[in-house]
Amino acid sequence: SGGAAAPAPVHSGAVSELVPHSLPGGGGELLLSAGADKSLALLEPRMGLAVVARRELSDFPYSLAAVGSVAVAGCGDGAVHVIELPSARRLYSLRTGGAAVRAMHTDPNRLV
């Protein structure tokens, strides 16, 4: 009844990560949501948390981080996807040794 909840289900399964993010240069705010349906959804707080973009991922996203104008999603199949914000366009993907990417950290100078 408070009006802060998303108007419809964002994912068809559980949500694994929620990351609030400020776009550079006053580009606005986004809430990034990674779900068990193997997708990344970008929600716009000024539009009642409406989904404004979505990107399918290669597997269940275990970890999610954002810095600048990119989001980085680590998946259960060992893939790390670098996604442009706010368009949700996949810039590139990296493959690890095949183990799930369960934790990540980003800052303007590095990805760990």
Side-chain angles (χ1 to χ4, degrees):
S1 67
V10 174
H11 298 284
S12 62
V15 173
S16 62
E17 290 274 349
L18 288 172
V19 175
H21 184 62
S22 297
L23 294 169
E29 304 286 325
L30 289 173
L31 179 63
L32 286 61
S33 176
D37 59 357
K38 302 180 184 179
S39 75
L40 170 66
L42 308 182
L43 289 73
E44 171 57 71
R46 296 172 295 185
M47 296 171 55
L49 295 175
V51 176
V52 294
R54 182 180 298 278
R55 169 59 50 196
E56 296 302 315
L57 302 171
S58 60
D59 200 3
F60 180 90
Y62 280 95
S63 54
L64 180 63
V67 63
S69 60
V70 297
V72 185
C75 295
D77 62 356
V80 176
H81 302 285
V82 179
I83 310 295
E84 181 181 59
L85 301 174
S87 68
R89 181 174 65 100
R90 186 186 335 263
L91 297 175
Y92 57 91
S93 298
L94 306 168
R95 291 285 177 180
T96 63
V101 181
R102 295 187 182 271
M104 290 188 306
H105 169 75
T106 58
D107 69 37
N109 300 309
R110 67 186 63 88
L111 167 65
V112 181

